[in-house]
Amino acid sequence: MIVTTQATITSEQSVLLQAHLERLGTNALPLEWNGAQNYVLGDTALDEHDIHALTALGADRVISLKQQYQVVSRAFQPANTIVNVSGVTFGGEQVPVIVGPCSVETEDQMAAVVAGARRAGCTMIRGGAYKPRTSPYAFQGHGELGLELLCDAAHPKGLPVVTEIMDIRELDAFMKHNVDAIQVGTRNMQNFSLLKELGATRIPIILKRGMSATLSEWLMAAEYIASGGNSQIILCERGIRTFETAYRNVLDVTGVIVAKKETHLPVIVDPSHAGGKAWMVAALAKAAIAVGADGLLVEMHPNPKESWCDADQALSIEEIEDLVPQLDAVAQAVGRSILA
Amino acid sequence: MIVTTQATITSEQSVLLQAHLERLGTNALPLEWNGAQNYVLGDTALDEHDIHALTALGADRVISLKQQYQVVSRAFQPANTIVNVSGVTFGGEQVPVIVGPCSVETEDQMAAVVAGARRAGCTMIRGGAYKPRTSPYAFQGHGELGLELLCDAAHPKGLPVVTEIMDIRELDAFMKHNVDAIQVGTRNMQNFSLLKELGATRIPIILKRGMSATLSEWLMAAEYIASGGNSQIILCERGIRTFETAYRNVLDVTGVIVAKKETHLPVIVDPSHAGGKAWMVAALAKAAIAVGADGLLVEMHPNPKESWCDADQALSIEEIEDLVPQLDAVAQAVGRSILA
Amino acid sequence: MIVTTQATITSEQSVLLQAHLERLGTNALPLEWNGAQNYVLGDTALDEHDIHALTALGADRVISLKQQYQVVSRAFQPANTIVNVSGVTFGGEQVPVIVGPCSVETEDQMAAVVAGARRAGCTMIRGGAYKPRTSPYAFQGHGELGLELLCDAAHPKGLPVVTEIMDIRELDAFMKHNVDAIQVGTRNMQNFSLLKELGATRIPIILKRGMSATLSEWLMAAEYIASGGNSQIILCERGIRTFETAYRNVLDVTGVIVAKKETHLPVIVDPSHAGGKAWMVAALAKAAIAVGADGLLVEMHPNPKESWCDADQALSIEEIEDLVPQLDAVAQAVGRSILA
Amino acid sequence: MIVTTQATITSEQSVLLQAHLERLGTNALPLEWNGAQNYVLGDTALDEHDIHALTALGADRVISLKQQYQVVSRAFQPANTIVNVSGVTFGGEQVPVIVGPCSVETEDQMAAVVAGARRAGCTMIRGGAYKPRTSPYAFQGHGELGLELLCDAAHPKGLPVVTEIMDIRELDAFMKHNVDAIQVGTRNMQNFSLLKELGATRIPIILKRGMSATLSEWLMAAEYIASGGNSQIILCERGIRTFETAYRNVLDVTGVIVAKKETHLPVIVDPSHAGGKAWMVAALAKAAIAVGADGLLVEMHPNPKESWCDADQALSIEEIEDLVPQLDAVAQAVGRSILA
């Protein structure tokens, strides 16, 4: 249950309102959302008398939600959240394509990536600095040096960046290098400590769905971030785990449309991890746009065969240049666009 | 392993060739495919000397296949199979949309369905006569009367029909009423007795994927039909079962593209069962076309709320009329078309 | 909803009762169960007045069930069903072990199997005559000859047999050779035509769970058989399909205990298919008995390496002789027994 | 690939050996394991000449492993690892039962838990202080106060404790209160930063399997800990996620036996989370012991209905007292024991 407040509420009223909520035994949690004050209540039963009293104290709406997720649900906020990542917007008519390598390797590599992205009409760069690798003996990423190479390549050309955080102790470095958006990876989707800390920032977060996370778990992970007051959340579907062995994951297009119905947050798709093979990316990316995705996150490498990780799934710069107009055609067919 | 024969082979040569294959202990199974004679061999090792001898006896190619599926694999036949269902073709540039109710109910219902389909630009009709219901106490379909109502409504208007078979003893009725294509449902995908009998016919078969069938199992089910010499097989993806509980199935777009890579058979999509809810059908249908599906199978009912089964997932005729041009736009964006 | 009748009901009363149920619009389906007459009703709302009238006409209990399954549910029949297969009972204190090869191969093989089973204390024989093989090119079983070899080996030694049916047209041969129990395999669990026909017999049926069948689907498949009046149904858990790739299936012990709670039917376990490897069978069989399984179905072959199918998972006769006393120890620990 | 060293190797030899491994380009990672020095190599090809040179420098065995997991694999260490948690051993003949509440609530609660555990013959206590809750609005645990209540109740009575860590910043508090074993929960199984830090300690770790983690991912998570030199790792199977909706998870007994074959680490089972319902725990616990589990982790609460979380799945103290002798009987049947 969420209690919103009237636009005209004063801070004195707000104190009285919260005190009254506590007297009602509601365990009210104050939550600022897009500049307005709200209170998230537990499973509390309020009667008409209670609601009348709350309204007199400055409450606006008392919203009862049947799902566990509250602030991220469309029942709370019917309008789309538009997430603005240093000028690139997710959740509107435009469908941004984020490209870049699995891991940041060298200055030359990143220069080529950024130049290629601009030629292709892609407006944001990805690249891994802290890498969650299945094996402790595999390359674990350049760490802070990776952040530096990534930002030094992209920022001067006016492109924002996103990169994955694995440990909250890395956050200072992310802020020092002005990382524009932080990715929470599949394996950390339910790392609640990390989510809470990111909720305390106001940096845009790209929250990947866990390999076998239900829609509800995914949205509750977003709720962890949102409950700290950070509304800048982008959900990212990246393929789910199934019984099938002939391909690594199944891109869950059904999940994309249900997510977009249940939440006001933008939902983007990572067709590279969803397929696991470069030859699948084009068709999956088209399906994602056709189904209504608000953006794409695509692995691109100047020389995929030389990629230090995930070599099988990266597209070359030329392939991306070839693909983007095709994606734009599909976007146009569903009333949206990729190229400005 | 498959041995194909030269176009000029005589029936005498063919007898000698088969005899030689048997002498080599290959368990050769003669298989006619699109008018040409082939032999499917077990896991036999043939050396160069053997192959030379086979060629002298009229063999053309000796194709060694690493997958279990043989005749349905692209390695055997690189070109797409085009399945022609009484004039409607699957596997080419055109993307037919099959519409109709979960179950054939009444003459009026079917008249409305056929008229609506024609207005909307849909070229084929579906409708259940023998219904696989989870409960033995639920309506089991009209049986042969359903076949009659279906064919009597569609055939005079020039539209072919598809309907599901549940038991090989129903085949005579299917043939009596000139059913144009026979559907093998999800629950019978590995009913091998049924598949073998259908392989002995030359009627087009729409083979739905089992709820949790792997790609390999699906293609092996097709191989059962193909091994009888029936090449008129259309695969139909209809959503897979996963861990998710917020929606009934997941439309496996990844499976569609991998299937189209592995086999030459057309692959269509049933977005109605894949989603289980009418509001999901439009977006899933667009994703299916964007990803490369060769056709759609969509539940449509003149009055969905009154539908005798699957009422939640049927679209109304008006919704279909509204949807088809949108689907055509996506088809055009990927170089295909729905409307003639 | 089920209406049971008083023990003293006459056939005239029964006619009147059914007529009244029809007047109430209940779609009542008469169903004889263990010699008593019942009526299964659709989702009908009956008020107290209705129930009073029914009682006056010979109705005993009016049982409202929240699950789809009716006759097979414990809510309908609280006591365990004991299935008697030619003297071997399932569902009581004793835990029978059924052994035998994947497929019936030769007279010598079957003689060895039967002799080994008796030495080991196993009381029933399995063996495939009609084989559901993934590939149409693989050995499909000896067919009726297999039934003959199986019964000729086992019956003279006093052991009942179970073997799989794939097509209802095979039923005559099953009856001619006095097959004691009929197995419905994983792939045919939802072959509703077949289930209905088997419901019309009074032969014990072993109903394997589908690879990804939910508990509800499995019990509804049993309901199809039961709705024909055949109460002699044994459920068989044989491993479910999951995301895991390091082993073929997961033996669902949780499913066994939930099944035994929800239904009065005996539930046995096939540890051979559940594991897919001979070395796993002993541990899985122990887990099955510890969790409460009412029997085991184990692949045994006189010479596993020479087995014509599933060679990896069969135990040798010696291994079975070694295993049975270990299983008996676990059975004793949970208050049951394997050896007489 | 792992290179072990001779027992007599000197530290000078060790330096030369590592230098030589680096010259060979092997990316050798030094890894101390149970007091002996080893080197883990990447996918390096070494020829006979190389191996001869390594042996001369103090290498003992050069072990080539086909799986990704190295140090935790049985191929590296054939003998069981026995993990000693302050006197309670896992991996030997004895099967310890760990009991305690979902979350540490009060001093009285914990006093009752410890007294009950001792009466029942359970030798170790669990209890959550830092709780990973699906909802940010749910009780998140007492934090450090919970550690204090847990240890203050158990340690004076001679019982070691295990409790979950969610964030590496909590480690100091764990050490301050002498937590005997640290649990890594399902949701953090692939929190690689956390695993690495725990690998640097020598505290026993109970590593729960992720909800949908493959065996390989689970063992690689253990490898992250082991690669830091911490050999005190206990794996814990707690039910996997499947397509089934009638019960929360499926206890993967197959996974237990495959894990015990692939790794030398002890494998315990949590039947409480595996079932999700108190009535299932007894049967699942018996299955776990029958299949070979090296311990059990069971939720117990003095008053389950009043439990602050997971109230459905906790057993009462009386139920545990009743259960343990039954578990001991099953343990005896498979050659092990629970009660000393």
Side-chain angles (χ1 to χ4, degrees), chain A residues 256-303:
Chain A
V256 172
I257 62 174
V258 180
K260 285 182 66 68
K261 183 163 192 272
E262 288 294 304
T263 179
H264 47 77
L265 300 173
V267 182
I268 68 172
V269 164
D270 173 349
S272 304
H273 283 86
K277 297 286 175 193
W279 70 266
M280 297 182 183
V281 173
L284 293 178
K286 289 174 192 172
I289 291 171
V291 92
D294 295 308
L296 294 176
L297 184 62
V298 184
E299 291 209 359
M300 178 182 86
H301 193 282
N303 189 351

Coordinates of all heavy atoms in Angstrom, one line a residue, chain A residues 256-303:
Chain A
V256 N 9.2 -9.5 -21.8 CA 9.3 -8.0 -22.1 C 7.9 -7.4 -22.1 O 7.7 -6.3 -21.5 CB 10.0 -7.8 -23.5 CG1 9.9 -6.4 -23.9 CG2 11.4 -8.3 -23.4
I257 N 6.9 -8.0 -22.7 CA 5.6 -7.4 -22.8 C 4.9 -7.4 -21.5 O 4.2 -6.4 -21.1 CB 4.7 -7.9 -23.9 CG1 4.4 -9.3 -23.8 CG2 5.3 -7.6 -25.3 CD1 3.4 -9.8 -24.8
V258 N 5.1 -8.4 -20.7 CA 4.5 -8.5 -19.4 C 5.1 -7.5 -18.5 O 4.5 -6.8 -17.7 CB 4.5 -9.9 -18.8 CG1 3.8 -9.9 -17.4 CG2 3.7 -10.9 -19.7
A259 N 6.4 -7.4 -18.5 CA 7.2 -6.4 -17.7 C 6.7 -5.0 -18.0 O 6.4 -4.2 -17.1 CB 8.7 -6.5 -17.9
K260 N 6.5 -4.7 -19.3 CA 6.1 -3.3 -19.7 C 4.6 -3.1 -19.3 O 4.3 -1.9 -19.1 CB 6.2 -3.1 -21.2 CG 7.7 -2.9 -21.6 CD 7.9 -2.7 -23.1 CE 7.3 -1.4 -23.5 NZ 8.0 -0.2 -23.0
K261 N 3.9 -4.1 -19.1 CA 2.5 -3.9 -18.6 C 2.5 -3.7 -17.1 O 1.7 -2.9 -16.6 CB 1.6 -5.1 -18.9 CG 0.2 -5.0 -18.5 CD -0.6 -6.1 -19.3 CE -2.1 -5.9 -19.2 NZ -2.7 -6.5 -18.0
E262 N 3.3 -4.4 -16.4 CA 3.3 -4.4 -14.9 C 4.1 -3.2 -14.3 O 3.8 -2.8 -13.2 CB 4.0 -5.7 -14.4 CG 3.1 -6.9 -14.6 CD 1.8 -6.8 -13.7 OE1 2.0 -6.6 -12.5 OE2 0.7 -6.9 -14.3
T263 N 5.1 -2.7 -15.1 CA 5.9 -1.6 -14.5 C 6.0 -0.4 -15.5 O 5.8 -0.6 -16.7 CB 7.3 -2.1 -14.2 OG1 8.1 -1.0 -13.7 CG2 8.0 -2.6 -15.4
H264 N 6.2 0.8 -15.0 CA 6.4 1.9 -15.8 C 7.8 2.2 -16.2 O 8.1 3.1 -16.9 CB 5.9 3.2 -15.0 CG 6.4 3.2 -13.6 ND1 7.7 3.6 -13.3 CD2 5.9 2.9 -12.4 CE1 7.9 3.5 -12.0 NE2 6.8 3.1 -11.4
L265 N 8.7 1.3 -15.8 CA 10.1 1.4 -16.1 C 10.4 1.0 -17.5 O 9.8 0.1 -18.0 CB 11.0 0.6 -15.1 CG 10.8 0.9 -13.6 CD1 11.6 -0.1 -12.8 CD2 11.4 2.3 -13.3
P266 N 11.4 1.6 -18.2 CA 11.8 1.1 -19.5 C 12.4 -0.3 -19.4 O 13.0 -0.7 -18.4 CB 12.8 2.1 -20.0 CG 13.2 2.9 -18.8 CD 12.1 2.8 -17.8
V267 N 12.2 -1.1 -20.5 CA 12.7 -2.4 -20.6 C 13.5 -2.5 -21.9 O 13.0 -2.4 -22.9 CB 11.6 -3.5 -20.6 CG1 12.1 -4.9 -20.7 CG2 10.6 -3.3 -19.4
I268 N 14.8 -2.8 -21.7 CA 15.6 -3.0 -22.9 C 16.0 -4.5 -23.0 O 15.7 -5.3 -22.1 CB 16.9 -2.1 -22.9 CG1 17.9 -2.6 -21.8 CG2 16.5 -0.7 -22.7 CD1 19.2 -1.8 -21.9
V269 N 16.6 -4.9 -24.1 CA 17.0 -6.3 -24.4 C 18.4 -6.4 -24.8 O 18.9 -5.6 -25.5 CB 16.1 -6.8 -25.5 CG1 16.6 -8.1 -26.1 CG2 14.6 -7.1 -25.0
D270 N 19.1 -7.4 -24.3 CA 20.4 -7.8 -24.7 C 20.4 -9.0 -25.6 O 20.4 -10.1 -25.1 CB 21.3 -8.0 -23.4 CG 22.7 -8.6 -23.7 OD1 22.9 -8.9 -24.9 OD2 23.5 -8.6 -22.8
P271 N 20.3 -8.8 -26.9 CA 20.2 -10.0 -27.8 C 21.5 -10.8 -27.9 O 21.5 -11.9 -28.4 CB 19.8 -9.4 -29.1 CG 20.4 -8.0 -29.1 CD 20.4 -7.6 -27.7
S272 N 22.6 -10.2 -27.4 CA 23.9 -10.9 -27.6 C 24.0 -12.1 -26.6 O 24.3 -13.2 -26.9 CB 25.0 -9.9 -27.4 OG 24.9 -8.9 -28.3
H273 N 23.7 -11.8 -25.3 CA 23.7 -12.8 -24.3 C 22.5 -13.7 -24.5 O 22.6 -14.9 -24.2 CB 23.7 -12.2 -22.9 CG 25.0 -11.7 -22.5 ND1 25.5 -10.5 -22.8 CD2 26.1 -12.3 -21.8 CE1 26.7 -10.3 -22.3 NE2 27.1 -11.4 -21.7
A274 N 21.4 -13.2 -24.9 CA 20.2 -14.0 -25.1 C 20.5 -15.2 -26.1 O 20.0 -16.3 -25.9 CB 19.0 -13.2 -25.6
G275 N 21.2 -14.9 -27.1 CA 21.5 -15.9 -28.1 C 22.8 -16.7 -27.9 O 22.8 -17.9 -28.0
G276 N 23.8 -15.9 -27.6 CA 25.1 -16.5 -27.3 C 25.9 -16.7 -28.6 O 27.0 -17.2 -28.5
K277 N 25.3 -16.4 -29.7 CA 26.0 -16.6 -31.0 C 25.8 -15.3 -31.8 O 24.6 -14.9 -31.9 CB 25.5 -17.8 -31.8 CG 25.6 -19.1 -31.1 CD 27.1 -19.6 -31.1 CE 27.3 -20.9 -30.3 NZ 28.7 -21.2 -30.1
A278 N 26.8 -14.9 -32.5 CA 26.7 -13.6 -33.3 C 25.7 -13.7 -34.4 O 24.9 -12.8 -34.6 CB 28.1 -13.3 -33.9
W279 N 25.5 -14.9 -35.0 CA 24.6 -15.0 -36.1 C 23.2 -14.9 -35.7 O 22.3 -14.7 -36.5 CB 24.8 -16.3 -36.9 CG 24.4 -17.6 -36.2 CD1 25.2 -18.4 -35.4 CD2 23.1 -18.2 -36.1 NE1 24.5 -19.5 -34.9 CE2 23.2 -19.4 -35.3 CE3 21.9 -17.9 -36.7 CZ2 22.1 -20.2 -35.1 CZ3 20.8 -18.7 -36.4 CH2 20.9 -19.8 -35.7
M280 N 22.9 -15.0 -34.4 CA 21.5 -14.9 -33.9 C 21.1 -13.5 -33.6 O 19.9 -13.2 -33.5 CB 21.3 -15.7 -32.6 CG 21.5 -17.2 -32.7 SD 21.2 -17.9 -31.1 CE 21.6 -19.7 -31.4
V281 N 22.1 -12.6 -33.4 CA 21.8 -11.3 -32.8 C 20.8 -10.5 -33.7 O 19.9 -9.9 -33.1 CB 23.1 -10.5 -32.6 CG1 22.9 -9.1 -32.2 CG2 24.0 -11.3 -31.5
A282 N 21.0 -10.5 -35.0 CA 20.2 -9.6 -35.8 C 18.7 -10.0 -35.7 O 17.9 -9.1 -35.4 CB 20.6 -9.7 -37.3
A283 N 18.4 -11.3 -35.8 CA 17.0 -11.7 -35.8 C 16.4 -11.4 -34.4 O 15.3 -11.0 -34.2 CB 16.9 -13.2 -36.1
L284 N 17.2 -11.7 -33.3 CA 16.7 -11.5 -32.0 C 16.5 -10.0 -31.7 O 15.5 -9.6 -31.0 CB 17.6 -12.1 -30.9 CG 17.7 -13.6 -30.9 CD1 18.8 -14.1 -29.9 CD2 16.4 -14.2 -30.7
A285 N 17.4 -9.2 -32.2 CA 17.3 -7.7 -32.0 C 16.0 -7.2 -32.7 O 15.3 -6.4 -32.1 CB 18.5 -7.0 -32.6
K286 N 15.7 -7.7 -33.9 CA 14.4 -7.3 -34.6 C 13.2 -7.8 -33.8 O 12.2 -7.0 -33.6 CB 14.4 -8.0 -36.0 CG 15.4 -7.3 -36.9 CD 15.5 -8.1 -38.3 CE 16.7 -7.6 -39.1 NZ 16.9 -8.4 -40.3
A287 N 13.3 -9.0 -33.2 CA 12.1 -9.5 -32.4 C 11.9 -8.6 -31.2 O 10.8 -8.2 -30.8 CB 12.4 -10.9 -32.0
A288 N 13.1 -8.2 -30.6 CA 13.0 -7.3 -29.4 C 12.3 -6.0 -29.7 O 11.4 -5.5 -29.0 CB 14.4 -7.1 -28.9
I289 N 12.7 -5.4 -30.8 CA 12.1 -4.1 -31.2 C 10.6 -4.3 -31.5 O 9.8 -3.5 -31.1 CB 12.9 -3.4 -32.3 CG1 14.3 -3.0 -31.8 CG2 12.2 -2.2 -32.9 CD1 15.2 -2.6 -32.8
A290 N 10.3 -5.3 -32.3 CA 9.0 -5.6 -32.7 C 8.1 -5.8 -31.5 O 6.9 -5.4 -31.5 CB 8.9 -6.8 -33.6
V291 N 8.6 -6.4 -30.4 CA 7.8 -6.7 -29.3 C 7.6 -5.5 -28.3 O 6.8 -5.5 -27.4 CB 8.3 -7.9 -28.5 CG1 9.3 -7.6 -27.5 CG2 7.2 -8.8 -28.0
G292 N 8.4 -4.5 -28.6 CA 8.3 -3.3 -27.8 C 9.4 -2.9 -26.9 O 9.2 -2.0 -26.0
A293 N 10.6 -3.4 -27.1 CA 11.7 -3.1 -26.2 C 12.1 -1.6 -26.4 O 11.9 -1.1 -27.4 CB 12.9 -4.0 -26.5
D294 N 12.6 -1.0 -25.3 CA 12.9 0.4 -25.2 C 14.3 0.7 -25.5 O 14.8 1.8 -25.3 CB 12.5 1.0 -23.9 CG 11.0 0.9 -23.6 OD1 10.2 1.4 -24.5 OD2 10.6 0.3 -22.6
G295 N 15.1 -0.3 -25.9 CA 16.5 -0.1 -26.2 C 17.1 -1.5 -26.4 O 16.5 -2.5 -26.1
L296 N 18.4 -1.5 -26.9 CA 19.1 -2.7 -27.1 C 20.5 -2.5 -26.5 O 21.1 -1.4 -26.5 CB 19.3 -3.0 -28.6 CG 18.0 -3.3 -29.4 CD1 18.3 -3.5 -30.8 CD2 17.3 -4.6 -28.8
L297 N 21.1 -3.6 -26.1 CA 22.4 -3.7 -25.5 C 23.1 -4.8 -26.3 O 22.8 -5.9 -26.1 CB 22.3 -4.0 -24.0 CG 23.6 -4.0 -23.2 CD1 24.3 -2.6 -23.1 CD2 23.3 -4.5 -21.8
V298 N 24.0 -4.4 -27.2 CA 24.6 -5.3 -28.2 C 26.1 -5.4 -28.0 O 26.8 -4.3 -28.0 CB 24.2 -4.9 -29.6 CG1 24.7 -6.0 -30.6 CG2 22.7 -4.8 -29.7
E299 N 26.7 -6.6 -28.0 CA 28.1 -6.7 -28.0 C 28.7 -6.4 -29.4 O 28.3 -7.0 -30.4 CB 28.5 -8.1 -27.5 CG 28.2 -8.3 -26.0 CD 29.1 -9.2 -25.3 OE1 30.0 -9.8 -25.9 OE2 28.9 -9.4 -24.0
M300 N 29.7 -5.5 -29.4 CA 30.4 -5.2 -30.6 C 31.8 -5.1 -30.3 O 32.2 -4.6 -29.3 CB 29.9 -3.8 -31.1 CG 30.5 -3.3 -32.4 SD 29.9 -1.7 -32.9 CE 31.0 -0.6 -31.9
H301 N 32.6 -5.6 -31.3 CA 34.1 -5.6 -31.1 C 34.7 -5.4 -32.4 O 34.3 -5.8 -33.4 CB 34.5 -7.0 -30.5 CG 35.9 -7.1 -30.0 ND1 37.0 -7.1 -30.8 CD2 36.4 -7.0 -28.7 CE1 38.1 -7.1 -30.1 NE2 37.8 -7.1 -28.8
P302 N 35.8 -4.6 -32.4 CA 36.4 -4.3 -33.7 C 36.9 -5.5 -34.4 O 37.0 -5.5 -35.6 CB 37.6 -3.4 -33.3 CG 37.3 -2.8 -32.0 CD 36.4 -3.8 -31.3
N303 N 37.2 -6.5 -33.6 CA 37.7 -7.8 -34.2 C 37.2 -8.9 -33.4 O 37.9 -9.4 -32.5 CB 39.2 -7.7 -34.3 CG 39.8 -8.9 -35.0 OD1 39.1 -9.8 -35.4 ND2 41.1 -8.8 -35.3

